[in-house]
Amino acid sequence: MLITLEFSGGAEMLFDNKKSHEVNLPDTEKWTIGSLLLWIRDNLLRDKPELFLQDDTIRPGILVLINDADWELYGQSEYVVEAKDKISFISTLHGG
Amino acid sequence: MLITLEFSGGAEMLFDNKKSHEVNLPDTEKWTIGSLLLWIRDNLLRDKPELFLQDDTIRPGILVLINDADWELYGQSEYVVEAKDKISFISTLHGG
Amino acid sequence: NKEAISNLNNENILRYSRQLILPEIGVKGQLRLSNTSVLIVGAGGLGCPSAIYLAAAGIGTIGVVDYDEIELSNLHRQILHTESRTGLKKSASVAASCSNLNSSVKCIPYHTVLSSKNALELINQYDIIVDATDNVATRYLLNDAAVLCQKPLVSGSALKFEGQLTVYNYQNGPCFRCLFPKPPPPETVTNCSDGGVLGVVPGIIGSLQALEVIKIAIGLPDTFKQRLLLFDGLAGSFRNIGLRPRQKNCAVCGDDPSIKELIDYEQFCGAKADDKGKNLTIL
Amino acid sequence: NKEAISNLNNENILRYSRQLILPEIGVKGQLRLSNTSVLIVGAGGLGCPSAIYLAAAGIGTIGVVDYDEIELSNLHRQILHTESRTGLKKSASVAASCSNLNSSVKCIPYHTVLSSKNALELINQYDIIVDATDNVATRYLLNDAAVLCQKPLVSGSALKFEGQLTVYNYQNGPCFRCLFPKPPPPETVTNCSDGGVLGVVPGIIGSLQALEVIKIAIGLPDTFKQRLLLFDGLAGSFRNIGLRPRQKNCAVCGDDPSIKELIDYEQFCGAKADDKGKNLTIL
Ligand SMILES: [Zn+2]
Ligand SMILES: [Zn+2]
């Protein structure tokens, strides 16, 4: 299943500074955001997984978007990922 | 056939100051942008059609967009309109 | 406690003529601007454009909070300061630049650190709050204070080539804590000193903050309440994100809040309330 | 003919430190900015933010063209002027504000009407041109002059709550005439004097013009070449529009252009080259 992952606000620094990733998830299981997070940790993250995940969920300060809407509107980590979804991880900025 | 018409940059002033219009085109014919322009003149325009059309095409200074892209990329008035298309008429601004 | 301004003098009719003719503003809207007070927290990259466009538009009273003095390294983005003012107080510099443009605006500089001790008293005196700060601890402090005082909070931020904009605690929309109940680990936070920022990026976001303030002051719809703008200056892209509604279980704006007075935000965030020092946890 | 600046002094390393650490800029990018000259045509609502953010970023030379003097009704959007400068030349006022922020930038005011007589000579001396004008005739003049001199043209415009931004004549992209071969009927054109404008709207667009200039100067990709940004301040929306490529039959930038020198643009447009008077056709 092809989906797009996006990282911005600094979160891209954990992923080779690449903001957009097309990824192909194995069709072996039903993918939720929860299981996607672990897949990202095991397959995309270069190092320092604690800067992305804490207690197997997203670390505080990163907003997760499902097709440009807050994941909270879709049941957070329970949401079942569909083909062509765009899942974004936005680190909040604090500079001014 | 349901489509969305949008007017901005001042072009909306010819259409009751309403920027977005959902319209239902009669299914009696194949609609091109060219025939749509005449339909707009006859069905939506309040007055002063010469501020919108000249010689049956769009007047100079209004950019026509088909789903957020320049109509020039789609054959201008020859483009065949499809259901759910968003056709926009953007009057260019000159103020500063 | 303030006497409302109920008409425009001839000078102001001339000064604001180009915005008075906008039907969405008109005399009624202009009077609303004149009777609105705005507290801008941070006289830096975001606060400068915010302040000058609000002064230009005729906001009645503009308060500017900043504890810092002007340094040469600020001038690539903090456009209301000048070379000759380096070493002087940022809050006074912004107030002076605003007054030079529009002397009918009351500009009040506060040369102080916004803290749990002074925040409520300050914020209570203003109608709309602009978060133009540069660090996590002050953002939580400002959020909680705005919720406790029931003021809308127009929040902007910028780093490198990116910017973010939203409006918290407005018309039953979410607050900062609804989105981020827990602060980020200090080691994940980058500030402008360490990460850098292109000056015009906070310029764009700060200008957009001024626009949001004007819309709130006049009562126009379609603000960034429960919406987040993501700006990527490198890509030249703007994205509009739909956010969650106010969270009933939010610690500060929820139905049964646990935070009823301001706390120690440096401790809560494990980081100092400036964009200069290292994190407390590292010290 | 200008001697290139090949290193940064200590003061400039400090001044630009927050943008020097951005990998996309660095010392190399900063030197490119220092060796770039930009001509801003129009010292009004768009020209002010453009000029100050370019000065802040360290553009080497900024020319500012405007024939007009400062009036009180300008100050709601033209934020580099001040009350005490009303009656003085706008071009000199913008240059002074930029120099106060960054004295290492060479600011050159031109108190003159840009015309078919002087445009080519002026534009030839600069690397990048900013269209911050307020009327159709000058926009066609500036476009043709930029094409004839082979300079990129960063074009912004604003009216009421709306703004538009694009980059013409850059990297084989289209020019203004490719999009609009014929001028609009004069009676359809609204200017800021008649239609009004909220000051911060040109503030946002002018800041975005500065960002485009910086990206072009440094050679960064993803400019607004062959793209149009539509900003609607009332809706809080930004739209990115894909534009047509350069048109082979364009009268000025096409393969066999008919316009090889500047023409009479007031006559071509049937409208005067300012945002004040009535249209020629009505007079
Ligand atoms: Zn909350
Ligand atoms: Zn052309």
Coordinates of all heavy atoms in Angstrom, one line a residue, chain D residues 149-220:
Chain D
C149 N 15.7 44.0 -20.8 CA 17.0 44.0 -20.0 C 17.4 42.6 -19.5 O 18.4 42.5 -18.8 CB 17.0 45.0 -18.9 SG 16.7 46.7 -19.4
Q150 N 16.5 41.6 -19.7 CA 16.7 40.3 -19.2 C 16.9 40.2 -17.7 O 17.8 39.5 -17.2 CB 17.9 39.6 -19.9 CG 17.7 39.5 -21.4 CD 18.8 38.9 -22.2 OE1 19.9 39.6 -22.3 NE2 18.7 37.6 -22.5
K151 N 16.0 40.8 -17.0 CA 16.1 40.8 -15.5 C 14.8 40.1 -15.0 O 13.7 40.3 -15.5 CB 16.1 42.2 -14.9 CG 17.1 43.1 -15.5 CD 18.5 42.8 -15.1 CE 19.5 43.8 -15.8 NZ 20.8 43.7 -15.3
P152 N 14.9 39.3 -13.9 CA 13.7 38.7 -13.3 C 12.9 39.8 -12.6 O 13.5 40.8 -12.1 CB 14.3 37.7 -12.2 CG 15.7 38.1 -12.1 CD 16.2 38.8 -13.3
L153 N 11.6 39.7 -12.7 CA 10.7 40.7 -12.2 C 9.8 40.0 -11.1 O 9.0 39.2 -11.4 CB 9.8 41.2 -13.3 CG 8.8 42.3 -13.0 CD1 9.4 43.6 -12.5 CD2 7.9 42.6 -14.2
V154 N 10.0 40.5 -9.9 CA 9.2 39.9 -8.8 C 8.0 40.8 -8.6 O 8.1 41.9 -8.1 CB 10.0 39.8 -7.5 CG1 9.2 39.3 -6.3 CG2 11.2 38.9 -7.7
S155 N 6.8 40.3 -8.9 CA 5.6 41.1 -9.0 C 4.6 40.8 -7.9 O 4.3 39.7 -7.6 CB 4.9 40.8 -10.4 OG 3.7 41.5 -10.4
G156 N 4.2 41.9 -7.2 CA 3.2 41.8 -6.1 C 2.1 42.8 -6.4 O 2.3 43.8 -7.0
S157 N 0.9 42.5 -5.9 CA -0.2 43.4 -6.0 C -1.2 43.2 -4.8 O -1.2 42.1 -4.3 CB -0.9 43.4 -7.3 OG -1.4 42.1 -7.5
A158 N -1.9 44.2 -4.5 CA -2.9 44.0 -3.4 C -4.0 45.0 -3.6 O -3.8 46.1 -4.1 CB -2.2 44.3 -2.0
L159 N -5.2 44.6 -3.1 CA -6.4 45.4 -3.2 C -7.4 44.9 -2.2 O -7.5 43.6 -2.1 CB -7.0 45.5 -4.6 CG -8.1 46.5 -4.8 CD1 -7.5 47.9 -4.8 CD2 -8.8 46.2 -6.1
K160 N -8.0 45.8 -1.4 CA -9.0 45.3 -0.4 C -8.3 44.3 0.5 O -7.4 44.6 1.2 CB -10.2 44.8 -1.1 CG -10.9 45.9 -2.0 CD -12.1 45.4 -2.6 CE -12.7 46.5 -3.5 NZ -13.9 46.2 -4.2
F161 N -8.8 43.1 0.6 CA -8.2 42.1 1.4 C -7.5 41.0 0.6 O -7.1 40.0 1.2 CB -9.3 41.4 2.2 CG -9.9 42.2 3.3 CD1 -11.0 43.1 3.1 CD2 -9.5 42.1 4.6 CE1 -11.5 43.9 4.1 CE2 -10.0 42.9 5.7 CZ -11.1 43.8 5.4
E162 N -7.2 41.3 -0.6 CA -6.6 40.3 -1.5 C -5.2 40.7 -2.0 O -4.9 41.8 -2.2 CB -7.5 40.0 -2.7 CG -8.8 39.3 -2.4 CD -9.6 38.9 -3.6 OE1 -10.1 39.8 -4.3 OE2 -9.6 37.7 -4.0
G163 N -4.4 39.7 -2.2 CA -3.1 39.9 -2.7 C -2.7 38.9 -3.7 O -3.2 37.7 -3.7
Q164 N -1.8 39.2 -4.6 CA -1.3 38.3 -5.7 C 0.2 38.4 -5.8 O 0.8 39.5 -5.6 CB -1.9 38.6 -7.0 CG -3.4 38.3 -7.0 CD -4.2 38.8 -8.3 OE1 -3.6 39.3 -9.2 NE2 -5.5 38.5 -8.3
L165 N 0.9 37.3 -6.1 CA 2.4 37.3 -6.1 C 2.8 36.4 -7.2 O 2.3 35.2 -7.3 CB 2.9 36.8 -4.8 CG 4.4 36.5 -4.7 CD1 5.2 37.8 -4.5 CD2 4.7 35.5 -3.6
T166 N 3.8 36.8 -8.0 CA 4.4 35.9 -9.0 C 5.7 36.4 -9.4 O 6.1 37.5 -9.1 CB 3.5 35.6 -10.2 OG1 4.0 34.6 -11.0 CG2 3.3 36.9 -11.1
V167 N 6.5 35.6 -10.1 CA 7.8 36.0 -10.6 C 7.8 35.9 -12.1 O 7.5 34.8 -12.7 CB 8.9 35.1 -10.0 CG1 10.3 35.5 -10.7 CG2 9.0 35.3 -8.5
Y168 N 8.0 37.0 -12.8 CA 8.0 37.0 -14.3 C 9.4 37.0 -14.9 O 10.4 37.5 -14.2 CB 7.3 38.3 -14.8 CG 5.8 38.3 -14.5 CD1 5.3 39.3 -13.8 CD2 4.9 37.3 -15.0 CE1 3.9 39.4 -13.5 CE2 3.6 37.4 -14.8 CZ 3.0 38.4 -14.0 OH 1.7 38.5 -13.8
N169 N 9.5 36.5 -16.1 CA 10.7 36.6 -16.9 C 11.9 36.0 -16.2 O 13.0 36.6 -16.1 CB 11.0 38.1 -17.2 CG 12.0 38.2 -18.3 OD1 11.9 37.5 -19.3 ND2 12.9 39.1 -18.1
Y170 N 11.7 34.8 -15.6 CA 12.8 34.2 -14.8 C 13.0 32.8 -15.3 O 12.0 32.0 -15.3 CB 12.5 34.3 -13.3 CG 13.6 33.7 -12.4 CD1 14.9 34.1 -12.5 CD2 13.3 32.7 -11.5 CE1 15.9 33.6 -11.7 CE2 14.2 32.2 -10.6 CZ 15.6 32.6 -10.8 OH 16.5 32.1 -9.9
Q171 N 14.2 32.4 -15.6 CA 14.5 31.0 -16.0 C 13.5 30.5 -17.0 O 12.9 29.4 -16.9 CB 14.4 30.1 -14.7 CG 15.6 30.4 -13.8 CD 15.5 29.5 -12.5 OE1 14.5 29.0 -12.2 NE2 16.7 29.3 -11.9
N172 N 13.3 31.3 -18.1 CA 12.5 30.9 -19.2 C 11.0 30.8 -18.9 O 10.2 30.2 -19.6 CB 13.0 29.6 -19.8 CG 12.6 29.5 -21.3 OD1 12.6 30.6 -22.0 ND2 12.3 28.3 -21.8
G173 N 10.6 31.3 -17.7 CA 9.2 31.3 -17.4 C 8.5 32.5 -18.1 O 9.1 33.2 -18.8
P174 N 7.1 32.5 -17.9 CA 6.4 33.6 -18.7 C 6.6 35.0 -18.1 O 7.1 35.2 -17.0 CB 4.9 33.1 -18.4 CG 5.0 32.5 -17.1 CD 6.3 31.8 -17.0
C175 N 6.2 35.9 -19.0 CA 6.2 37.3 -18.5 C 4.8 37.8 -18.3 O 3.8 37.0 -18.6 CB 7.0 38.2 -19.5 SG 6.1 38.8 -20.9
F176 N 4.6 39.0 -17.8 CA 3.2 39.5 -17.6 C 2.4 39.5 -18.9 O 1.2 39.2 -18.9 CB 3.4 40.9 -17.1 CG 2.1 41.7 -16.7 CD1 1.2 41.1 -15.9 CD2 1.9 43.0 -17.2 CE1 0.0 41.8 -15.5 CE2 0.8 43.7 -16.8 CZ -0.2 43.1 -16.0
R177 N 3.1 39.8 -20.0 CA 2.3 39.9 -21.3 C 2.0 38.5 -21.8 O 1.0 38.3 -22.6 CB 3.2 40.5 -22.4 CG 3.0 42.0 -22.6 CD 3.8 42.5 -23.8 NE 4.0 43.9 -23.7 CZ 3.2 44.8 -24.2 NH1 2.1 44.4 -24.8 NH2 3.4 46.1 -24.1
C178 N 2.8 37.5 -21.4 CA 2.4 36.1 -21.8 C 1.0 35.8 -21.2 O 0.2 35.1 -21.9 CB 3.4 35.1 -21.3 SG 5.0 35.1 -22.0
L179 N 0.8 36.3 -20.0 CA -0.5 36.0 -19.4 C -1.6 37.0 -19.8 O -2.7 36.6 -20.0 CB -0.4 36.1 -17.8 CG 0.0 34.9 -17.1 CD1 1.4 34.4 -17.3 CD2 -0.3 35.0 -15.6
F180 N -1.2 38.2 -20.0 CA -2.2 39.3 -20.3 C -1.7 40.1 -21.5 O -1.2 41.2 -21.4 CB -2.3 40.2 -19.1 CG -2.8 39.4 -17.9 CD1 -1.9 39.2 -16.9 CD2 -4.1 38.9 -17.8 CE1 -2.3 38.4 -15.8 CE2 -4.5 38.2 -16.7 CZ -3.6 37.9 -15.7
P181 N -1.8 39.5 -22.7 CA -1.4 40.2 -23.9 C -2.1 41.6 -24.1 O -1.4 42.5 -24.6 CB -1.7 39.3 -25.1 CG -2.3 38.0 -24.5 CD -2.4 38.2 -23.0
K182 N -3.3 41.7 -23.7 CA -4.1 42.9 -23.8 C -4.3 43.5 -22.5 O -4.6 42.8 -21.5 CB -5.4 42.7 -24.5 CG -5.3 42.3 -26.0 CD -6.8 42.3 -26.5 CE -6.9 41.4 -27.7 NZ -8.3 41.1 -28.1
P183 N -4.2 44.8 -22.3 CA -4.5 45.5 -21.1 C -6.0 45.4 -20.7 O -6.8 45.3 -21.7 CB -4.1 46.9 -21.3 CG -4.2 47.1 -22.7 CD -3.9 45.8 -23.4
P184 N -6.3 45.4 -19.5 CA -7.8 45.4 -19.1 C -8.4 46.7 -19.5 O -7.8 47.7 -19.6 CB -7.7 45.2 -17.6 CG -6.4 45.8 -17.2 CD -5.5 45.5 -18.3
P185 N -9.7 46.6 -19.8 CA -10.5 47.9 -20.1 C -10.3 48.8 -18.8 O -10.5 48.3 -17.7 CB -11.9 47.4 -20.2 CG -11.9 46.0 -20.4 CD -10.6 45.5 -19.8
P186 N -9.9 50.1 -19.1 CA -9.7 51.0 -17.9 C -10.8 51.0 -16.9 O -10.5 51.1 -15.7 CB -9.5 52.3 -18.6 CG -9.1 52.0 -20.0 CD -9.8 50.8 -20.3
E187 N -12.0 50.9 -17.3 CA -13.1 51.0 -16.4 C -13.3 49.8 -15.5 O -14.0 49.8 -14.5 CB -14.5 51.2 -17.1 CG -14.9 50.1 -18.0 CD -14.3 50.2 -19.5 OE1 -13.3 50.8 -19.6 OE2 -14.9 49.5 -20.4
T188 N -12.5 48.7 -15.7 CA -12.5 47.5 -14.9 C -11.4 47.6 -13.8 O -11.4 46.7 -13.0 CB -12.3 46.2 -15.7 OG1 -11.0 46.2 -16.2 CG2 -13.4 46.1 -16.8
V189 N -10.6 48.6 -13.9 CA -9.4 48.6 -13.0 C -9.7 49.4 -11.7 O -10.1 50.6 -11.8 CB -8.2 49.1 -13.7 CG1 -7.0 49.2 -12.7 CG2 -7.8 48.2 -14.9
T190 N -9.6 48.8 -10.6 CA -9.8 49.5 -9.3 C -8.4 49.7 -8.7 O -7.6 48.8 -8.6 CB -10.6 48.6 -8.4 OG1 -11.8 48.2 -9.1 CG2 -11.1 49.5 -7.2
N191 N -8.2 50.9 -8.2 CA -6.9 51.2 -7.5 C -7.2 51.3 -6.0 O -8.3 51.3 -5.5 CB -6.2 52.4 -8.0 CG -7.0 53.6 -7.9 OD1 -7.8 53.8 -6.9 ND2 -7.0 54.5 -8.9
C192 N -6.0 51.4 -5.2 CA -6.2 51.4 -3.7 C -6.9 52.7 -3.3 O -7.6 52.7 -2.2 CB -4.8 51.3 -3.1 SG -4.0 49.7 -3.3
S193 N -6.8 53.8 -4.0 CA -7.5 55.0 -3.6 C -9.0 54.8 -3.7 O -9.7 55.3 -2.8 CB -7.0 56.2 -4.5 OG -5.7 56.4 -4.4
D194 N -9.4 54.2 -4.8 CA -10.9 54.0 -5.0 C -11.4 52.8 -4.3 O -12.5 52.8 -3.7 CB -11.2 53.9 -6.5 CG -10.8 55.2 -7.2 OD1 -10.7 56.2 -6.6 OD2 -10.7 55.1 -8.5
G195 N -10.7 51.7 -4.3 CA -11.2 50.4 -3.8 C -10.8 50.2 -2.3 O -11.5 49.4 -1.7
G196 N -9.8 50.8 -1.9 CA -9.3 50.6 -0.5 C -8.5 49.4 -0.4 O -8.4 48.5 -1.3
V197 N -7.7 49.3 0.7 CA -6.9 48.2 1.0 C -6.6 48.1 2.4 O -6.4 49.2 3.1 CB -5.6 48.2 0.1 CG1 -4.7 49.4 0.5 CG2 -4.8 46.9 0.2
L198 N -6.6 47.0 3.0 CA -6.2 46.8 4.4 C -4.6 46.8 4.4 O -4.0 46.0 3.7 CB -6.8 45.6 5.0 CG -6.5 45.4 6.5 CD1 -7.2 46.5 7.3 CD2 -6.8 44.0 7.0
G199 N -4.0 47.7 5.2 CA -2.6 47.9 5.1 C -1.7 46.6 5.2 O -0.7 46.5 4.5
V200 N -2.1 45.7 6.0 CA -1.3 44.5 6.3 C -1.3 43.6 5.1 O -0.4 42.7 5.0 CB -1.7 43.8 7.6 CG1 -3.0 43.1 7.5 CG2 -0.6 42.9 8.1
V201 N -2.2 43.7 4.2 CA -2.3 42.8 3.0 C -1.1 43.1 2.1 O -0.3 42.2 1.8 CB -3.7 42.9 2.3 CG1 -3.6 42.1 1.0 CG2 -4.7 42.4 3.3
P202 N -0.9 44.3 1.6 CA 0.4 44.6 0.9 C 1.6 44.3 1.8 O 2.7 43.9 1.3 CB 0.3 46.1 0.5 CG -0.8 46.6 1.3 CD -1.8 45.5 1.6
G203 N 1.5 44.4 3.1 CA 2.6 44.0 4.0 C 3.0 42.6 3.8 O 4.2 42.3 3.8
I204 N 2.0 41.7 3.8 CA 2.3 40.3 3.6 C 2.8 40.0 2.2 O 3.8 39.3 2.1 CB 1.0 39.5 3.9 CG1 0.6 39.6 5.3 CG2 1.1 38.0 3.4 CD1 -0.9 39.3 5.6
I205 N 2.2 40.6 1.2 CA 2.7 40.3 -0.2 C 4.1 40.9 -0.4 O 5.0 40.3 -1.0 CB 1.7 40.9 -1.2 CG1 0.3 40.3 -1.0 CG2 2.2 40.8 -2.6 CD1 0.3 38.8 -1.4
G206 N 4.3 42.1 0.1 CA 5.6 42.8 0.0 C 6.7 42.0 0.7 O 7.8 41.8 0.2
S207 N 6.4 41.4 1.8 CA 7.3 40.5 2.5 C 7.6 39.3 1.7 O 8.8 38.8 1.6 CB 6.8 40.1 3.9 OG 6.5 41.2 4.7
L208 N 6.6 38.7 1.1 CA 6.8 37.5 0.2 C 7.6 37.9 -1.0 O 8.4 37.1 -1.5 CB 5.4 37.0 -0.2 CG 4.7 36.2 0.9 CD1 3.2 36.0 0.6 CD2 5.4 34.8 1.1
Q209 N 7.5 39.1 -1.5 CA 8.4 39.6 -2.6 C 9.8 39.6 -2.2 O 10.7 39.2 -2.9 CB 7.9 41.0 -3.1 CG 6.6 41.0 -3.9 CD 6.2 42.4 -4.3 OE1 5.7 43.2 -3.5 NE2 6.5 42.7 -5.6
A210 N 10.1 40.1 -1.0 CA 11.4 40.1 -0.5 C 12.0 38.7 -0.4 O 13.1 38.4 -0.8 CB 11.5 40.7 0.9
L211 N 11.2 37.7 0.1 CA 11.6 36.3 0.1 C 11.9 35.8 -1.3 O 13.0 35.1 -1.5 CB 10.5 35.5 0.8 CG 10.7 33.9 0.8 CD1 12.0 33.6 1.5 CD2 9.6 33.2 1.5
E212 N 11.1 36.1 -2.3 CA 11.4 35.7 -3.6 C 12.7 36.2 -4.1 O 13.5 35.6 -4.8 CB 10.3 36.1 -4.6 CG 9.0 35.3 -4.4 CD 9.2 33.8 -4.5 OE1 9.6 33.3 -5.6 OE2 9.0 33.1 -3.5
V213 N 13.0 37.5 -3.9 CA 14.2 38.2 -4.3 C 15.4 37.4 -3.6 O 16.4 37.1 -4.3 CB 14.2 39.6 -3.9 CG1 15.7 40.2 -4.0 CG2 13.3 40.4 -4.7
I214 N 15.3 37.1 -2.4 CA 16.4 36.4 -1.7 C 16.6 35.0 -2.3 O 17.8 34.6 -2.5 CB 16.1 36.3 -0.2 CG1 16.1 37.7 0.5 CG2 17.0 35.3 0.5 CD1 15.5 37.7 1.9
K215 N 15.6 34.3 -2.6 CA 15.7 33.0 -3.2 C 16.4 33.1 -4.6 O 17.2 32.3 -5.0 CB 14.4 32.3 -3.3 CG 13.9 31.9 -1.9 CD 12.4 31.4 -1.9 CE 12.3 30.0 -2.5 NZ 10.9 29.5 -2.3
I216 N 16.0 34.1 -5.4 CA 16.6 34.3 -6.7 C 18.0 34.7 -6.6 O 18.9 34.1 -7.3 CB 15.8 35.4 -7.5 CG1 14.4 34.9 -7.8 CG2 16.5 35.7 -8.8 CD1 13.4 35.9 -8.4
A217 N 18.3 35.6 -5.6 CA 19.7 36.1 -5.5 C 20.6 34.9 -5.1 O 21.8 34.8 -5.5 CB 19.8 37.2 -4.4
I218 N 20.1 34.0 -4.2 CA 21.0 32.9 -3.7 C 21.0 31.7 -4.7 O 21.8 30.9 -4.7 CB 20.5 32.5 -2.3 CG1 20.7 33.6 -1.4 CG2 21.2 31.2 -1.9 CD1 20.3 33.3 0.0
G219 N 19.9 31.7 -5.6 CA 19.8 30.6 -6.5 C 19.1 29.4 -6.0 O 19.3 28.3 -6.4
L220 N 18.2 29.6 -5.0 CA 17.4 28.6 -4.5 C 16.2 28.2 -5.4 O 15.8 29.1 -6.2 CB 16.8 29.0 -3.1 CG 17.8 29.1 -2.0 CD1 17.1 29.7 -0.7 CD2 18.4 27.8 -1.6

